[in-house]
Amino acid sequence: MNNHQASRLGRMESEAMSVFRGPDHIRRVACLGTGLIGGGFVALFLARGLDVIVWDPAPEAKRRLDELLTTAWPTLERLGARAEDRGSLSWARTALEAVTTADFVQESAPERIELKRNLYAEIELHVPTDVVIATSSSGFTITELQADRSPSPRLVVGHPFNPPYLIPLVEVAGAPYTSGEALAAAEAFYESIGKVVIRMDHEIPGFIANHLQAALEREAMHLVAEGHATPQQIDAAIVQALAPRWTAIGPCMVRHMATVAGIGAYFERFHLGSERFLSHVEPPKFTPELIQAMEEGCRAMSADRDKAALASARDRMVIETLLAQRRAGLSGHGI
Ligand SMILES: NC(=O)c1ccc[n+]([C@@H]2O[C@H](COP(=O)([O-])OP(=O)(O)OC[C@H]3O[C@@H](n4cnc5c(N)ncnc54)[C@H](O)[C@@H]3O)[C@@H](O)[C@H]2O)c1
């Protein structure tokens, strides 16, 4: 038995014991909200052969989703999707109709706590009891989302990155009372459709990736606010130095490999603490001068190029990076 068969067998055994539907029992996914993120998930689920039932109250939602699916498909094909495997898409007239026949629910409604709480109150009793409900929320924890009522153990965070059909990571997290089986079922489901999952033991605001991104953004704004660097220099430092390296290894392994004896020796030599002088804990003040400097820098970098063309060039580069990672045999955690 090879590793893949062994892990599938292990998954089937744990799924057989789980009270929640895992990948082998998920055929139909309900997507609530089909904006940037919900629509991106729809594209991914369809490409993986799943049937998707969607609900979005906006009058222009259908047109927007059609456009998003048209944009996403060439990218998905480049990454291996085939038209003949594509699942079917249907529109529900209500959120309830979408969830009653679903094997998994992905909620990507606007980031407004009352709206999300009302939506859960509306659907929860109608979602089959063995179906996991995942929220795409970037900013709310499960504890916050359910603070107004008796908490459900099957609501989990399934936090993607934009666009979800292209960027591999999904962060899976829950509150202390969230069912471990619900978290495991969500993790196994996302992995079965090719996502790389980080399962967090505790939920914290920003989860992991946005936490790191916020730190970098804060430092970038300090550099601009204090006149040490322009937005162009900051973006060049990332794109031309840090990002190419980070496509293979993250900052922890960068540090480990930069010291002959590994990261332990790094701590001995630098006594941690030197970074104190380099990093700022508080964000800078958003003065008009800072905002103007950021705007001028970013406008100069876009050089009047169409935003859609820039986004498509960015996505083409991300696709090539992901394909190169595959060819290099990188795992979800780098080398
Ligand atoms: N934008 C990002 O980069 C990003 C990344 C990761 C996660 N998220 C999270 O994904 C979620 C959706 O964000 P988005 O950027 O796609 O927003 P969006 O505004 O693009 O899409 C939200 C969609 O929800 C629909 N909607 C409105 N009321 C609704 C309701 N009651 N029920 C169902 N749908 C409803 C809207 O019509 C819209 O189509 C948020 O929780 C956000 O935090 C966003």
Side-chain angles (χ1 to χ4, degrees), residues 85-305:
D85 297 334
R86 197 165 160 155
S88 72
L89 172 67
S90 54
W91 280 84
R93 276 157 302 183
T94 61
L96 288 194
E97 186 189 332
V99 300
T100 44
T101 54
D103 301 312
F104 189 87
V105 176
Q106 184 76 42
E107 172 274 305
S108 311
E111 189 74 348
R112 300 210 297 273
I113 194 126
E114 284 310 318
L115 185 147
K116 286 192 191 273
R117 284 177 178 168
N118 290 340
L119 185 58
Y120 297 137
E122 185 188 343
I123 62 163
E124 209 183 325
L125 286 177
H126 302 270
V127 180
T129 51
D130 58 348
V131 164
V132 172
I133 305 170
T135 177
S136 299
S137 177
S138 305
F140 300 126
T141 59
I142 292 297
T143 311
E144 287 166 332
L145 285 170
Q146 302 196 101
D148 63 331
R149 65 211 174 94
S150 109
S152 161
R154 60 173 167 154
L155 179 61
V156 306
V157 167
H159 177 241
F161 289 79
N162 187 39
Y165 58 82
L166 177 57
I167 304 294
L169 187 65
V170 176
E171 290 165 321
V172 170
Y177 55 75
T178 305
S179 156
E181 288 184 349
L183 290 163
E187 180 178 6
F189 169 60
Y190 291 128
E191 283 181 348
S192 76
I193 56 168
K195 305 300 280 181
V196 173
V197 175
I198 293 181
R199 164 112 165 249
M200 294 181 70
D201 292 332
H202 316 280
E203 52 176 8
I204 52 162
F207 310 113
I208 296 175
N210 278 344
H211 208 95
L212 294 171
Q213 182 168 256
L216 198 55
E217 267 176 27
R218 188 189 61 215
E219 295 307 312
M221 283 190 273
H222 268 295
L223 289 171
V224 176
E226 288 160 27
H228 298 313
T230 63
Q232 294 95 312
Q233 288 172 323
I234 289 166
D235 279 19
I238 299 291
V239 174
Q240 301 301 333
L242 299 177
R245 210 159 51 184
W246 284 349
T247 60
I249 51 174
C252 304
M253 280 299 287
V254 166
R255 194 54 79 203
H256 184 60
M257 289 168 70
T259 317
V260 177
I263 197 160
Y266 167 81
F267 287 113
E268 266 169 40
R269 271 178 46 204
F270 291 95
H271 305 291
L272 260 184
S274 54
E275 279 78 0
R276 190 156 62 85
F277 305 110
L278 304 176
S279 80
H280 305 264
V281 175
E282 293 295 324
K285 288 212 162 24
F286 293 167
T287 59
E289 293 75 28
L290 171 59
I291 294 170
Q292 190 185 346
M294 295 298 292
E295 274 219 72
E296 279 175 5
C298 291
R299 283 193 195 289
M301 279 188 274
S302 351
D304 294 331
R305 277 171 300 170

